[in-house]
Amino acid sequence: MPHRHPAPVSRRHFLGQLSIGASAALALGSDVHGQAPAAPRKLGVVLAGLGNYAKGELLPALKETQFCRLAGVVTGSAEKGQAWAREHGFPEKNVWHYDTMAQMATASDVDIVYVVTPNALHAENTIRAAAAGKHVVCEKPMAVSVAECDTMIAACRKAGRSLSIGYRLHYDPYHQELIRLARTQEYGPFLKMTGGFGFHMARKVWRAEHKLAGGGPMMDVGIYAVHEACLAANANPIAVTAKERPKTRPEFFVDVEETLDWTMEFANGAKAELFTSYQENLNQFRAEAAKGWYEVGPPAFSYRGLKAATSTRGALQFPPLRQQAAHLDAIARSIIDRTELPTPGALGRRDMVIIEGVYEAARTGKRVTLRW
Ligand code: NAD
């Protein structure tokens, strides 16, 4: 699979990812003194957090990957971990508690820890995994603040390990087509972007609590629209404005937003007008340029069944693909081949800078300038 480079990130944070080569050599047991690396083997992946996404999507994806295998779990329940070991064929010694992750350091059959816990726990789990000498894949949002992202990047850099973010859409063909159109400028630069991601949250879960989620739908699903707008613009935004809509269920969304509209402005005059909600459904993205448009969705951001159309080619159909398997394999390949990571921590940090800006704009009512 060819490597597509992510949208621009700041030079300083890109440089922060450059210790990966040496760590990959260690992970693969290859000769760090310059001899040819050992033949690629499947990298051992530990899932940290056995909730819905780990069980429903990452577990089946791991079974489809070419370059990864499930090697263990981190869980608060030893019994659950042992059951996973028996059912999915990894040794029972590879069941850790969040507090015993340091012991992973001696597990030579583990290369990567995939952090799939609630958002506010991503930083501590990433830092523990890196300190145990493992590469890290961390789910989106990378963390709940830019400051946390910085500590995560620093911890992985210090440990000489890579840090990737679970942006599964990077390898989805419907999104690769957007990336291609943004880069080739077949229709000219995309100057007007619209859309967003929202759904009706029926049952209160940690996602609606600031303490564990760090925010409301923006942190959870709005981030997809933030990321997509950057891909379409092929740039980072220079400023944001935002407005929170009045809550229709204030007792439900006590300390997080329920619905948010925001605008991202880019240096070339492009604008993205976006939406996220835990009240209303939307799952769509449209990018318009002088000579044409591209529209993904509905659904645009789901795991499967995506749709897209362009102004010149009508409806597009790509073969089905398990996004998480393609993404995990791309990350593993970049570790094995010592090439640039497809979705590095710097990209997760970039999105967190934008999200913090959006929250500040919503709180103050002012246009917030973003500095890179
Ligand atoms: P979930 O609630 O189903 O699972 C969370 C897991 O974390 C559970 O196993 C829970 O036991 C564990 N956990 C550990 N410490 C905890 C604590 N102190 N409080 C609560 N739970 C704790 O959530 P999920 O849907 O699997 O989401 C997990 C992460 O994955 C989130 O960051 C989410 O944004 C991300 N996610 C990403 C995608 C994607 O498409 N990339 C999809 C779903 C979820």
Side-chain angles (χ1 to χ4, degrees):
M1 172 158 318
H3 267 184
R4 307 287 164 132
H5 296 279
V9 292
S10 81
R11 187 171 177 277
R12 182 164 71 88
H13 286 90
F14 172 73
L15 290 174
Q17 303 293 322
L18 289 183
S19 56
I20 294 160
S23 63
L26 291 172
L28 292 168
S30 59
D31 189 322
V32 287
H33 302 294
Q35 287 178 20
R41 61 173 169 86
K42 285 195 169 201
L43 300 188
V45 178
V46 163
L47 291 174
L50 303 181
N52 292 325
Y53 191 57
K55 188 164 177 231
E57 301 299 330
L58 297 177
L59 175 65
L62 275 164
K63 292 183 175 170
E64 283 182 22
T65 53
Q66 250 186 297
F67 304 110
C68 302
R69 63 186 164 78
L70 180 64
V73 294
V74 178
T75 169
S77 158
E79 287 128 49
K80 190 173 178 181
Q82 304 300 345
W84 270 62
R86 285 191 298 276
E87 203 173 322
H88 305 297
F90 57 83
E92 295 200 5
K93 74 168 180 67
N94 285 3
V95 175
W96 290 277
H97 187 273
Y98 298 97
D99 296 334
T100 61
M101 284 173 72
Q103 293 169 11
M104 259 188 237
T106 56
S108 57
D109 53 347
V110 171
D111 303 286
I112 298 173
V113 175
Y114 197 133
V115 176
V116 212
T117 49
N119 310 343
L121 307 171
H122 289 180
E124 66 184 56
N125 293 324
T126 293
I127 291 165
R128 284 174 180 164
K134 306 304 174 190
H135 298 280
V136 183
V137 181
C138 176
E139 257 315 317
K140 47 60 51 181
M142 177 170 167
V144 295
S145 68
V146 176
E148 278 191 349
C149 295
D150 287 336
T151 61
M152 294 159 81
I153 290 171
C156 291
R157 186 186 303 158
K158 184 173 169 218
R161 293 296 179 262
S162 66
L163 173 58
S164 306
I165 309 304
Y167 287 131
R168 60 182 162 78
L169 293 174
H170 263 261
Y171 286 86
D172 184 281
Y174 292 91
H175 294 264
Q176 291 228 322
E177 180 61 8
L178 176 75
I179 294 170
R180 190 189 70 76
L181 288 169
R183 299 214 173 137
T184 59
Q185 302 206 347
E186 206 169 295
Y187 299 144
F190 288 124
L191 294 176
K192 184 180 173 200
M193 281 78 85
T194 49
F197 197 1
F199 67 96
H200 182 85
M201 182 179 274
R203 193 170 57 90
K204 188 158 177 165
V205 289
W206 63 261
R207 283 180 163 76
E209 280 175 41
H210 198 277
K211 188 165 160 260
L212 280 174
M218 182 58 163
M219 283 283 185
D220 185 20
V221 288
I223 189 170
Y224 285 92
V226 165
H227 197 89
E228 198 78 348
C230 295
L231 290 180
N234 200 20
N236 295 343
I238 54 164
V240 291
T241 50
K243 198 164 192 321
E244 185 181 344
R245 292 193 194 173
K247 291 176 188 177
T248 60
R249 291 185 286 163
E251 72 293 348
F252 199 100
F253 303 106
V254 176
D255 57 5
V256 299
E257 76 280 6
E258 180 184 297
T259 299
L260 195 61
D261 297 280
W262 76 99
T263 302
M264 290 160 54
E265 299 170 26
F266 296 87
N268 67 348
K271 260 192 184 180
E273 288 180 1
L274 304 166
F275 168 91
T276 191
S277 179
Y278 274 159
Q279 181 65 20
E280 289 175 41
N281 293 321
L282 187 71
N283 190 341
Q284 202 161 357
F285 187 83
R286 183 181 168 95
E288 296 175 39
K291 290 183 281 176
W293 52 259
Y294 184 63
E295 188 164 301
V296 208
F301 304 112
S302 305
Y303 305 142
R304 34 205 154 250
L306 305 196
K307 290 186 189 141
T310 77
S311 51
T312 54
R313 285 178 282 151
L316 302 184
Q317 227 178 4
F318 295 104
L321 157 121
R322 194 185 281 276
Q323 297 159 354
Q324 294 84 356
H327 189 213
L328 271 163
D329 266 340
I331 292 169
R333 276 312 315 211
S334 71
I335 291 173
I336 292 165
D337 296 342
R338 310 175 198 187
T339 52
E340 193 179 330
L341 288 167
T343 50
L347 213 49
R349 183 191 188 277
R350 189 272 318 263
D351 291 350
M352 197 51 56
V353 168
I354 299 167
I355 289 173
E356 277 194 354
V358 167
Y359 278 138
E360 186 187 334
R363 197 176 58 248
T364 61
K366 294 194 175 136
R367 178 178 182 269
V368 172
T369 305
L370 304 176
R371 293 181 210 294
W372 303 102

